[in-house]
Amino acid sequence: MYLQLWIVAVLGILSLQVFGIKINYEGDQVLQIIPQNKEQVNCLQHICQSSQLDLWKPLQLEDINVTGVVYVRIPSIVLQSVKEDLLHCSLSFELLFDNVSQLMGISEGTKRIRSKRSTTNYEYTKYHSMEDIYNWINLMSQSNSDLVTQHYLGSTYESRPMHYLKISKPSNDSKKIIWMDCGIHAREWIAPAFCQWFVKEIVQNHQKDSRIKKILKNLDLYVLPVLNIDGYIYTWTTDRLWRKSRSNHQNDTCFGVDLNRNFNAKWCTSGSSTNCTSNSYCGISPVSEPETKAVVDFVEERKSDIICFLTMHSYSQYILTAYGYSEELPKSYNETIKVAQMAAAELKKKHGTDYKVGTFANLLYEASGTSQDWVHDLGIDFSFTIELRDNGTYKFVLPEDQIQPTCEETMAAVMTIIEYVNDKYFPNKASTTFGDLYPIALLFYILLTSAPLV
Ligand code: 0X9
Ligand code: ZN
Ligand code: ZN
Protein backbone atom coordinates (compact mmCIF):
# COMPACT_ATOMS: atom_id res chain seq x y z
CA MET A 1 0.00 0.00 0.00
CA TYR A 2 2.70 2.47 1.03
CA LEU A 3 4.79 1.64 -2.03
CA GLN A 4 1.84 2.44 -4.29
CA LEU A 5 1.31 5.73 -2.53
CA TRP A 6 4.93 6.56 -3.02
CA ILE A 7 4.74 5.90 -6.73
CA VAL A 8 1.66 8.09 -7.02
CA ALA A 9 3.35 10.85 -5.05
CA VAL A 10 6.59 10.73 -7.02
CA LEU A 11 4.75 10.68 -10.36
CA GLY A 12 2.65 13.59 -9.14
CA ILE A 13 5.68 15.67 -8.24
CA LEU A 14 7.45 14.78 -11.49
CA SER A 15 4.50 15.76 -13.63
CA LEU A 16 4.28 19.01 -11.69
CA GLN A 17 7.86 19.85 -12.44
CA VAL A 18 7.75 18.76 -16.07
CA PHE A 19 4.41 20.27 -17.06
CA GLY A 20 4.19 23.09 -14.53
CA ILE A 21 0.75 22.00 -13.34
CA LYS A 22 -0.70 23.73 -10.31
CA ILE A 23 -1.20 21.54 -7.25
CA ASN A 24 -4.87 20.86 -6.82
CA TYR A 25 -6.15 20.67 -3.26
CA GLU A 26 -9.66 19.71 -4.36
CA GLY A 27 -11.17 17.43 -1.75
CA ASP A 28 -8.16 17.56 0.56
CA GLN A 29 -9.09 17.67 4.22
CA VAL A 30 -7.33 19.09 7.24
CA LEU A 31 -7.74 16.94 10.32
CA GLN A 32 -7.17 17.80 13.94
CA ILE A 33 -5.71 14.93 15.91
CA ILE A 34 -4.68 14.87 19.56
CA PRO A 35 -2.67 11.78 20.45
CA GLN A 36 -3.37 10.62 23.99
CA ASN A 37 -0.31 8.46 24.70
CA LYS A 38 3.17 7.62 23.48
CA GLU A 39 1.96 4.74 21.27
CA GLN A 40 -0.46 7.02 19.49
CA VAL A 41 2.28 9.61 18.99
CA ASN A 42 4.52 6.98 17.38
CA CYS A 43 1.70 5.67 15.28
CA LEU A 44 0.72 9.14 14.04
CA GLN A 45 4.34 9.95 13.24
CA HIS A 46 4.55 6.74 11.26
CA ILE A 47 1.40 7.51 9.26
CA CYS A 48 2.56 11.05 8.49
CA GLN A 49 5.99 9.80 7.48
CA SER A 50 4.94 6.97 5.25
CA SER A 51 2.22 8.90 3.45
CA GLN A 52 4.40 12.05 3.32
CA LEU A 53 1.57 14.09 4.80
CA ASP A 54 1.75 17.87 5.02
CA LEU A 55 2.00 18.74 8.73
CA TRP A 56 0.47 22.14 9.49
CA LYS A 57 1.13 22.02 13.20
CA PRO A 58 3.66 21.30 14.56
CA LEU A 59 6.02 21.67 11.60
CA GLN A 60 8.08 18.62 12.42
CA LEU A 61 7.26 15.03 13.19
CA GLU A 62 9.58 15.11 16.23
CA ASP A 63 7.48 17.86 17.78
CA ILE A 64 4.31 15.76 17.94
CA ASN A 65 3.64 15.25 21.66
CA VAL A 66 1.16 13.48 23.90
CA THR A 67 -1.97 15.71 24.16
CA GLY A 68 -0.41 18.24 21.75
CA VAL A 69 -2.76 19.40 18.98
CA VAL A 70 -1.80 18.23 15.49
CA TYR A 71 -3.18 19.66 12.24
CA VAL A 72 -2.40 17.70 9.14
CA ARG A 73 -3.54 17.99 5.52
CA ILE A 74 -4.62 14.74 3.90
CA PRO A 75 -4.66 14.70 0.08
CA SER A 76 -7.98 13.44 -1.26
CA ILE A 77 -6.43 10.37 -2.96
CA VAL A 78 -5.14 8.95 0.34
CA LEU A 79 -7.98 10.17 2.55
CA GLN A 80 -9.64 6.80 2.86
CA SER A 81 -6.50 4.84 3.65
CA VAL A 82 -5.13 7.40 6.10
CA LYS A 83 -8.40 7.46 8.01
CA GLU A 84 -8.28 3.66 8.24
CA ASP A 85 -4.70 3.80 9.50
CA LEU A 86 -5.70 6.36 12.12
CA LEU A 87 -8.49 4.12 13.34
CA HIS A 88 -6.07 1.21 13.60
CA CYS A 89 -4.11 3.18 16.20
CA SER A 90 -7.40 4.26 17.85
CA LEU A 91 -6.59 7.84 16.93
CA SER A 92 -9.74 9.91 16.74
CA PHE A 93 -9.80 12.97 14.52
CA GLU A 94 -11.87 16.04 13.94
CA LEU A 95 -12.48 17.54 10.54
CA LEU A 96 -11.02 21.04 10.50
CA PHE A 97 -11.41 21.85 6.81
CA ASP A 98 -13.59 19.85 4.54
CA ASN A 99 -12.16 21.02 1.26
CA VAL A 100 -8.88 22.88 1.25
CA SER A 101 -9.23 24.23 -2.31
CA GLN A 102 -12.57 25.82 -1.47
CA LEU A 103 -10.88 27.65 1.38
CA MET A 104 -8.25 28.96 -0.98
CA GLY A 105 -10.94 30.19 -3.33
CA ILE A 106 -12.35 32.31 -0.51
CA SER A 107 -8.93 33.58 0.46
CA GLU A 108 -7.99 34.68 -3.03
CA GLY A 109 -11.29 36.39 -3.72
CA THR A 110 -12.74 36.96 -7.15
CA LYS A 111 -10.68 37.47 -10.27
CA ARG A 112 -9.68 41.05 -10.92
CA ILE A 113 -7.60 43.14 -13.21
CA ARG A 114 -4.11 43.27 -11.79
CA SER A 115 -1.00 45.39 -12.43
CA LYS A 116 -2.72 48.73 -12.01
CA ARG A 117 -0.43 51.46 -13.26
CA SER A 118 -0.96 53.91 -10.45
CA THR A 119 -0.38 53.83 -6.73
CA THR A 120 -3.57 55.76 -5.98
CA ASN A 121 -5.82 52.89 -6.96
CA TYR A 122 -3.59 50.03 -5.83
CA GLU A 123 -5.75 47.62 -3.87
CA TYR A 124 -4.13 47.20 -0.48
CA THR A 125 -6.94 44.94 0.66
CA LYS A 126 -6.11 42.24 -1.89
CA TYR A 127 -3.22 39.82 -2.15
CA HIS A 128 -0.87 40.59 -5.03
CA SER A 129 1.29 38.53 -7.35
CA MET A 130 5.04 39.18 -7.35
CA GLU A 131 4.66 40.90 -10.71
CA ASP A 132 2.20 43.34 -9.11
CA ILE A 133 4.54 43.87 -6.17
CA TYR A 134 7.56 44.59 -8.41
CA ASN A 135 5.44 47.17 -10.24
CA TRP A 136 4.23 48.60 -6.96
CA ILE A 137 7.82 48.99 -5.69
CA ASN A 138 8.69 50.92 -8.85
CA LEU A 139 5.63 53.14 -8.72
CA MET A 140 6.02 53.84 -5.01
CA SER A 141 9.57 55.11 -5.45
CA GLN A 142 8.83 57.01 -8.67
CA SER A 143 5.77 58.84 -7.42
CA ASN A 144 7.27 59.73 -4.00
CA SER A 145 10.89 60.26 -4.97
CA ASP A 146 11.45 62.86 -2.22
CA LEU A 147 10.72 60.25 0.43
CA VAL A 148 10.94 56.73 -1.00
CA THR A 149 13.82 55.17 -2.91
CA GLN A 150 14.29 51.69 -4.29
CA HIS A 151 17.49 49.75 -3.61
CA TYR A 152 19.00 46.44 -4.62
CA LEU A 153 19.68 44.04 -1.75
CA GLY A 154 20.72 40.94 -3.67
CA SER A 155 19.46 38.18 -5.87
CA THR A 156 17.35 35.11 -5.18
CA TYR A 157 18.31 31.52 -6.01
CA GLU A 158 16.32 31.78 -9.25
CA SER A 159 18.11 35.07 -10.06
CA ARG A 160 15.33 37.50 -9.29
CA PRO A 161 16.30 40.89 -7.87
CA MET A 162 15.47 41.60 -4.24
CA HIS A 163 14.55 45.26 -3.85
CA TYR A 164 13.86 47.10 -0.63
CA LEU A 165 12.32 50.50 -0.15
CA LYS A 166 14.07 53.13 1.93
CA ILE A 167 11.80 55.74 3.45
CA SER A 168 13.88 58.73 4.44
CA LYS A 169 13.33 62.46 4.95
CA PRO A 170 16.26 64.42 3.53
CA SER A 171 18.43 65.67 6.40
CA ASN A 172 22.04 66.50 7.26
CA ASP A 173 21.91 64.63 10.57
CA SER A 174 22.94 60.98 10.55
CA LYS A 175 20.00 58.72 11.19
CA LYS A 176 19.35 55.29 12.61
CA ILE A 177 17.68 52.43 10.75
CA ILE A 178 14.49 50.47 11.35
CA TRP A 179 14.48 47.25 9.31
CA MET A 180 11.32 45.37 8.37
CA ASP A 181 11.11 42.28 6.16
CA CYS A 182 8.02 40.37 5.10
CA GLY A 183 7.47 37.07 3.36
CA ILE A 184 10.50 35.02 4.44
CA HIS A 185 7.95 32.18 4.48
CA ALA A 186 6.24 31.93 1.11
CA ARG A 187 2.71 30.95 2.14
CA GLU A 188 2.33 33.63 4.82
CA TRP A 189 0.71 36.04 2.36
CA ILE A 190 -0.57 38.50 4.94
CA ALA A 191 3.03 39.51 5.73
CA PRO A 192 3.88 41.04 2.30
CA ALA A 193 0.41 42.61 2.33
CA PHE A 194 1.37 44.31 5.59
CA CYS A 195 4.73 45.57 4.31
CA GLN A 196 2.90 47.27 1.45
CA TRP A 197 0.28 48.69 3.79
CA PHE A 198 3.02 50.02 6.09
CA VAL A 199 4.78 51.90 3.29
CA LYS A 200 1.46 53.31 2.05
CA GLU A 201 0.53 54.57 5.53
CA ILE A 202 3.88 56.28 6.07
CA VAL A 203 3.83 57.89 2.62
CA GLN A 204 0.23 59.05 2.94
CA ASN A 205 0.54 60.48 6.44
CA HIS A 206 4.13 61.70 6.79
CA GLN A 207 3.06 65.34 6.52
CA LYS A 208 0.09 65.29 8.89
CA ASP A 209 0.76 62.60 11.50
CA SER A 210 2.89 64.07 14.28
CA ARG A 211 4.25 60.70 15.36
CA ILE A 212 5.41 59.82 11.86
CA LYS A 213 6.91 63.31 11.53
CA LYS A 214 8.77 62.81 14.78
CA ILE A 215 10.29 59.44 13.95
CA LEU A 216 11.28 60.42 10.41
CA LYS A 217 13.48 63.18 11.87
CA ASN A 218 15.74 60.53 13.39
CA LEU A 219 15.01 57.29 11.62
CA ASP A 220 15.07 55.81 8.13
CA LEU A 221 12.68 52.93 7.48
CA TYR A 222 13.97 50.06 5.34
CA VAL A 223 11.25 47.74 4.07
CA LEU A 224 11.80 44.49 2.18
CA PRO A 225 8.27 43.61 0.96
CA VAL A 226 9.02 40.01 -0.03
CA LEU A 227 12.17 38.27 1.18
CA ASN A 228 11.51 34.81 -0.26
CA ILE A 229 10.49 35.89 -3.77
CA ASP A 230 11.01 32.50 -5.49
CA GLY A 231 8.89 30.78 -2.86
CA TYR A 232 6.20 33.46 -3.03
CA ILE A 233 5.89 33.05 -6.80
CA TYR A 234 5.72 29.28 -6.32
CA THR A 235 2.73 29.74 -3.98
CA TRP A 236 0.97 31.64 -6.79
CA THR A 237 1.84 29.27 -9.63
CA THR A 238 2.08 25.83 -8.13
CA ASP A 239 1.61 25.20 -4.44
CA ARG A 240 -0.28 27.70 -2.28
CA LEU A 241 1.09 26.08 0.89
CA TRP A 242 4.79 26.17 0.01
CA ARG A 243 6.93 27.56 2.86
CA LYS A 244 10.59 27.40 1.84
CA SER A 245 12.77 28.94 -0.85
CA ARG A 246 13.25 27.10 -4.16
CA SER A 247 16.92 26.16 -4.15
CA ASN A 248 17.92 22.74 -5.36
CA HIS A 249 20.67 21.18 -3.28
CA GLN A 250 19.98 17.49 -3.79
CA ASN A 251 19.89 17.14 -7.57
CA ASP A 252 16.15 17.49 -8.01
CA THR A 253 15.12 15.15 -5.19
CA CYS A 254 13.91 18.00 -3.05
CA PHE A 255 13.64 21.73 -3.15
CA GLY A 256 13.91 24.66 -0.86
CA VAL A 257 15.40 25.73 2.45
CA ASP A 258 13.50 27.21 5.38
CA LEU A 259 15.24 30.59 5.17
CA ASN A 260 14.30 31.26 8.79
CA ARG A 261 16.48 28.29 9.80
CA ASN A 262 19.45 29.28 7.63
CA PHE A 263 20.93 32.09 9.76
CA ASN A 264 24.00 31.61 11.90
CA ALA A 265 22.29 31.42 15.28
CA LYS A 266 22.90 27.96 16.80
CA TRP A 267 22.37 26.84 13.21
CA CYS A 268 20.54 23.56 12.69
CA THR A 269 20.37 22.54 16.32
CA SER A 270 16.87 22.57 17.81
CA GLY A 271 13.68 22.92 15.80
CA SER A 272 15.21 22.54 12.39
CA SER A 273 15.97 19.62 10.16
CA THR A 274 18.89 18.29 8.13
CA ASN A 275 16.42 16.43 5.93
CA CYS A 276 15.86 18.41 2.75
CA THR A 277 12.26 17.27 2.42
CA SER A 278 11.41 18.84 5.78
CA ASN A 279 9.56 22.13 5.98
CA SER A 280 12.19 23.33 8.45
CA TYR A 281 15.24 22.21 6.46
CA CYS A 282 18.15 24.40 7.57
CA GLY A 283 20.21 24.16 4.35
CA ILE A 284 23.69 22.78 3.72
CA SER A 285 25.50 25.31 5.93
CA PRO A 286 24.76 28.58 7.74
CA VAL A 287 23.89 31.31 5.21
CA SER A 288 24.07 28.82 2.33
CA GLU A 289 21.15 30.58 0.61
CA PRO A 290 21.53 33.75 -1.47
CA GLU A 291 18.42 35.34 0.11
CA THR A 292 19.86 34.80 3.60
CA LYS A 293 23.24 36.13 2.46
CA ALA A 294 21.65 39.29 1.05
CA VAL A 295 20.07 40.10 4.41
CA VAL A 296 23.19 39.12 6.38
CA ASP A 297 25.49 41.29 4.24
CA PHE A 298 23.22 44.29 4.65
CA VAL A 299 22.76 43.89 8.40
CA GLU A 300 26.49 43.31 9.01
CA GLU A 301 27.43 46.38 7.01
CA ARG A 302 24.90 48.62 8.74
CA LYS A 303 24.82 47.00 12.17
CA SER A 304 25.90 50.10 14.08
CA ASP A 305 23.01 52.06 12.53
CA ILE A 306 20.22 49.47 12.84
CA ILE A 307 18.37 49.93 16.11
CA CYS A 308 15.31 47.80 15.45
CA PHE A 309 14.73 44.68 13.34
CA LEU A 310 11.21 43.48 12.61
CA THR A 311 10.42 40.30 10.71
CA MET A 312 6.79 39.69 9.80
CA HIS A 313 5.18 36.24 9.69
CA SER A 314 1.86 34.52 10.13
CA TYR A 315 -0.02 32.95 11.80
CA SER A 316 -0.52 32.68 15.60
CA GLN A 317 -0.87 36.29 16.81
CA TYR A 318 2.38 36.61 18.69
CA ILE A 319 4.93 39.32 19.27
CA LEU A 320 8.10 37.37 19.89
CA THR A 321 11.38 38.39 21.43
CA ALA A 322 14.67 36.46 21.46
CA TYR A 323 15.49 33.64 21.80
CA GLY A 324 13.99 31.04 19.54
CA TYR A 325 16.97 28.72 19.87
CA SER A 326 16.82 28.21 23.60
CA GLU A 327 14.56 28.74 26.57
CA GLU A 328 17.12 31.02 28.16
CA LEU A 329 16.32 34.70 28.30
CA PRO A 330 18.62 37.37 26.86
CA LYS A 331 19.83 40.36 28.91
CA SER A 332 17.49 42.66 27.04
CA TYR A 333 14.48 40.48 27.85
CA ASN A 334 12.75 42.69 30.42
CA GLU A 335 12.82 45.74 28.22
CA THR A 336 11.92 44.01 24.95
CA ILE A 337 9.03 42.18 26.61
CA LYS A 338 7.78 45.48 28.02
CA VAL A 339 7.83 47.03 24.54
CA ALA A 340 6.10 43.98 23.05
CA GLN A 341 3.40 44.20 25.70
CA MET A 342 2.84 47.89 24.99
CA ALA A 343 2.57 47.04 21.29
CA ALA A 344 0.10 44.20 21.91
CA ALA A 345 -2.04 46.52 24.06
CA GLU A 346 -2.17 49.16 21.30
CA LEU A 347 -2.94 46.46 18.75
CA LYS A 348 -5.88 45.19 20.78
CA LYS A 349 -7.41 48.69 20.95
CA LYS A 350 -8.08 48.62 17.19
CA HIS A 351 -10.26 45.54 16.75
CA GLY A 352 -10.01 43.65 20.04
CA THR A 353 -7.56 41.07 18.69
CA ASP A 354 -5.57 39.23 21.35
CA TYR A 355 -1.84 38.77 20.86
CA LYS A 356 0.50 36.80 23.10
CA VAL A 357 3.92 38.12 23.99
CA GLY A 358 6.98 36.07 24.86
CA THR A 359 9.97 34.23 23.49
CA PHE A 360 9.31 31.79 20.71
CA ALA A 361 10.98 28.94 22.54
CA ASN A 362 8.76 29.46 25.56
CA LEU A 363 5.50 30.05 23.68
CA LEU A 364 5.75 27.29 21.09
CA TYR A 365 8.78 25.19 20.28
CA GLU A 366 12.47 25.92 19.88
CA ALA A 367 13.71 27.17 16.53
CA SER A 368 17.38 27.64 15.73
CA GLY A 369 18.83 29.59 12.83
CA THR A 370 16.24 32.37 12.79
CA SER A 371 17.02 35.86 11.55
CA GLN A 372 15.66 37.35 14.75
CA ASP A 373 18.14 35.53 16.99
CA TRP A 374 21.09 36.14 14.67
CA VAL A 375 20.34 39.87 14.60
CA HIS A 376 19.85 39.93 18.35
CA ASP A 377 23.20 38.19 18.97
CA LEU A 378 24.87 40.73 16.71
CA GLY A 379 23.96 43.32 19.34
CA ILE A 380 20.64 44.67 18.08
CA ASP A 381 18.44 44.20 21.14
CA PHE A 382 15.15 45.28 19.60
CA SER A 383 14.69 42.32 17.32
CA PHE A 384 11.12 41.04 17.04
CA THR A 385 9.24 38.38 15.13
CA ILE A 386 5.59 39.33 14.66
CA GLU A 387 3.18 36.53 13.80
CA LEU A 388 0.06 38.11 12.33
CA ARG A 389 -3.51 36.76 12.14
CA ASP A 390 -5.15 34.51 12.52
CA ASN A 391 -5.36 32.24 15.52
CA GLY A 392 -5.93 29.00 13.64
CA THR A 393 -9.23 29.27 11.77
CA TYR A 394 -7.85 30.08 8.32
CA LYS A 395 -4.14 29.76 9.11
CA PHE A 396 -2.08 30.54 5.99
CA VAL A 397 -5.14 31.17 3.83
CA LEU A 398 -6.39 34.23 5.66
CA PRO A 399 -9.34 35.65 3.67
CA GLU A 400 -8.83 38.97 1.93
CA ASP A 401 -11.54 40.64 4.00
CA GLN A 402 -9.20 40.36 6.98
CA ILE A 403 -6.30 42.17 5.31
CA GLN A 404 -7.51 45.64 6.30
CA PRO A 405 -8.24 44.98 9.99
CA THR A 406 -5.05 42.94 10.31
CA CYS A 407 -2.95 45.71 8.78
CA GLU A 408 -4.65 48.44 10.84
CA GLU A 409 -3.99 46.70 14.13
CA THR A 410 -0.47 45.62 13.13
CA MET A 411 0.30 49.23 12.18
CA ALA A 412 -0.59 50.26 15.73
CA ALA A 413 1.74 47.64 17.17
CA VAL A 414 4.65 48.38 14.86
CA MET A 415 4.38 52.14 15.37
CA THR A 416 4.42 51.62 19.15
CA ILE A 417 7.68 49.69 18.88
CA ILE A 418 9.25 52.21 16.50
CA GLU A 419 8.22 55.17 18.65
CA TYR A 420 9.69 53.50 21.73
CA VAL A 421 13.09 52.92 20.14
CA ASN A 422 13.03 56.42 18.65
CA ASP A 423 12.41 58.00 22.05
CA LYS A 424 15.05 55.80 23.63
CA TYR A 425 17.81 56.61 21.14
CA PHE A 426 16.84 60.24 20.59
CA PRO A 427 15.60 61.40 24.01
CA ASN A 428 16.23 65.11 23.41
CA LYS A 429 14.54 65.24 20.07
CA ALA A 430 11.72 63.02 21.22
CA SER A 431 9.35 65.79 22.28
CA THR A 432 8.61 69.12 20.68
CA THR A 433 11.15 70.83 18.47
CA PHE A 434 11.62 74.48 17.63
CA GLY A 435 9.54 73.95 14.50
CA ASP A 436 6.52 73.02 16.60
CA LEU A 437 7.10 75.88 19.03
CA TYR A 438 7.64 78.50 16.36
CA PRO A 439 4.03 79.87 16.26
CA ILE A 440 3.98 80.23 20.05
CA ALA A 441 7.40 81.92 20.06
CA LEU A 442 6.18 84.32 17.40
CA LEU A 443 3.10 85.17 19.43
CA PHE A 444 5.22 85.97 22.50
CA TYR A 445 7.51 88.09 20.41
CA ILE A 446 4.60 90.11 19.05
CA LEU A 447 3.10 90.54 22.51
CA LEU A 448 6.42 91.63 24.03
CA THR A 449 7.43 94.00 21.27
CA SER A 450 3.99 95.55 20.98
CA ALA A 451 3.53 96.07 24.74
CA PRO A 452 5.17 99.54 24.99
CA LEU A 453 2.87 100.86 22.30
CA VAL A 454 -0.25 100.27 24.36
O1 0X9 B 1 9.08 29.00 12.92
C1 0X9 B 1 9.32 30.12 12.47
O2 0X9 B 1 10.23 30.37 11.71
C2 0X9 B 1 8.43 31.27 12.87
N1 0X9 B 1 7.08 30.80 12.95
S1 0X9 B 1 6.26 30.44 11.56
O3 0X9 B 1 5.03 29.77 11.91
N2 0X9 B 1 5.84 31.80 10.86
O4 0X9 B 1 7.10 29.69 10.70
C3 0X9 B 1 8.82 31.83 14.22
C4 0X9 B 1 10.25 32.17 14.44
C5 0X9 B 1 10.46 32.76 15.80
N3 0X9 B 1 11.85 32.96 16.03
C6 0X9 B 1 12.42 33.46 17.18
N4 0X9 B 1 11.69 33.83 18.17
N5 0X9 B 1 13.70 33.53 17.21
ZN1 ZN C 1 16.51 46.33 -10.24
ZN1 ZN D 1 6.83 32.33 9.16
Side-chain angles (χ1 to χ4, degrees), residues 293-304 306 374 378 380:
K293 177 122 191 343
V295 174
V296 163
D297 286 350
F298 175 85
V299 173
E300 276 180 341
E301 195 183 318
R302 307 296 303 273
K303 75 173 184 193
S304 57
I306 301 172
W374 176 74
L378 205 64
I380 301 161

Coordinates of all heavy atoms in Angstrom, one line a residue, residues 293-304 306 374 378 380:
K293 N 22.0 35.4 2.6 CA 23.2 36.1 2.5 C 23.0 37.6 2.2 O 23.7 38.5 2.7 CB 24.1 35.5 1.3 CG 25.4 36.2 1.0 CD 26.6 35.3 1.2 CE 27.9 36.0 1.1 NZ 28.0 37.3 0.6
A294 N 22.0 37.9 1.4 CA 21.7 39.3 1.0 C 21.3 40.1 2.3 O 21.8 41.2 2.5 CB 20.5 39.3 0.0
V295 N 20.5 39.4 3.2 CA 20.1 40.1 4.4 C 21.3 40.2 5.4 O 21.5 41.3 5.9 CB 18.9 39.3 5.1 CG1 18.6 39.9 6.5 CG2 17.7 39.3 4.2
V296 N 22.0 39.1 5.5 CA 23.2 39.1 6.4 C 24.2 40.2 6.0 O 24.7 41.0 6.8 CB 23.8 37.7 6.4 CG1 25.2 37.7 7.0 CG2 23.0 36.8 7.2
D297 N 24.5 40.3 4.7 CA 25.5 41.3 4.2 C 25.0 42.7 4.6 O 25.8 43.5 5.1 CB 25.7 41.2 2.7 CG 26.5 40.0 2.4 OD1 27.1 39.3 3.3 OD2 26.6 39.6 1.2
F298 N 23.7 43.0 4.4 CA 23.2 44.3 4.7 C 23.3 44.6 6.1 O 23.8 45.6 6.6 CB 21.8 44.4 4.2 CG 21.1 45.7 4.6 CD1 21.3 46.9 3.8 CD2 20.4 45.9 5.7 CE1 20.8 48.1 4.2 CE2 19.9 47.1 6.1 CZ 20.1 48.2 5.3
V299 N 22.8 43.6 7.0 CA 22.8 43.9 8.4 C 24.2 44.0 9.0 O 24.4 44.9 9.8 CB 22.0 42.8 9.1 CG1 22.0 42.9 10.6 CG2 20.5 42.8 8.7
E300 N 25.1 43.2 8.5 CA 26.5 43.3 9.0 C 27.1 44.7 8.7 O 27.7 45.3 9.5 CB 27.3 42.2 8.5 CG 27.2 40.9 9.3 CD 28.0 39.7 8.9 OE1 28.4 39.7 7.7 OE2 28.2 38.8 9.7
E301 N 26.8 45.1 7.4 CA 27.4 46.4 7.0 C 26.9 47.6 7.8 O 27.5 48.5 8.1 CB 27.2 46.6 5.5 CG 28.1 47.7 4.9 CD 27.8 47.9 3.4 OE1 27.6 46.9 2.7 OE2 27.7 49.1 3.0
R302 N 25.6 47.5 8.1 CA 24.9 48.6 8.7 C 24.6 48.4 10.2 O 23.7 49.1 10.8 CB 23.6 48.9 8.0 CG 23.8 49.1 6.5 CD 24.6 50.3 6.1 NE 24.1 51.6 6.6 CZ 23.3 52.3 6.0 NH1 22.8 52.0 4.9 NH2 22.9 53.5 6.6
K303 N 25.3 47.4 10.8 CA 24.8 47.0 12.2 C 24.9 48.1 13.2 O 24.1 48.1 14.1 CB 25.5 45.7 12.6 CG 27.0 45.9 13.1 CD 27.5 44.6 13.7 CE 28.9 44.8 14.2 NZ 29.5 43.5 14.5
S304 N 25.8 49.0 13.1 CA 25.9 50.1 14.1 C 24.8 51.1 13.9 O 24.5 51.9 14.8 CB 27.3 50.8 14.0 OG 27.5 51.3 12.7
I306 N 21.5 50.1 12.7 CA 20.2 49.5 12.8 C 19.9 49.4 14.3 O 20.6 48.9 15.1 CB 20.2 48.1 12.2 CG1 20.6 48.1 10.7 CG2 18.8 47.4 12.4 CD1 20.8 46.7 10.1
W374 N 19.8 35.8 15.2 CA 21.1 36.1 14.7 C 21.3 37.7 14.8 O 22.3 38.1 15.3 CB 21.2 35.7 13.2 CG 22.5 36.2 12.6 CD1 23.7 35.7 12.8 CD2 22.7 37.3 11.8 NE1 24.7 36.4 12.2 CE2 24.1 37.4 11.5 CE3 21.8 38.3 11.2 CZ2 24.6 38.4 10.7 CZ3 22.3 39.2 10.4 CH2 23.7 39.3 10.1
L378 N 23.9 39.8 17.3 CA 24.9 40.7 16.7 C 24.9 42.0 17.5 O 25.8 42.9 17.4 CB 24.4 41.1 15.3 CG 25.4 41.5 14.2 CD1 26.4 40.4 13.9 CD2 24.6 41.9 13.0
I380 N 21.8 43.8 18.3 CA 20.6 44.7 18.1 C 19.5 44.1 19.0 O 18.9 43.1 18.6 CB 20.2 44.7 16.6 CG1 21.4 45.2 15.8 CG2 19.0 45.5 16.4 CD1 21.4 44.9 14.3

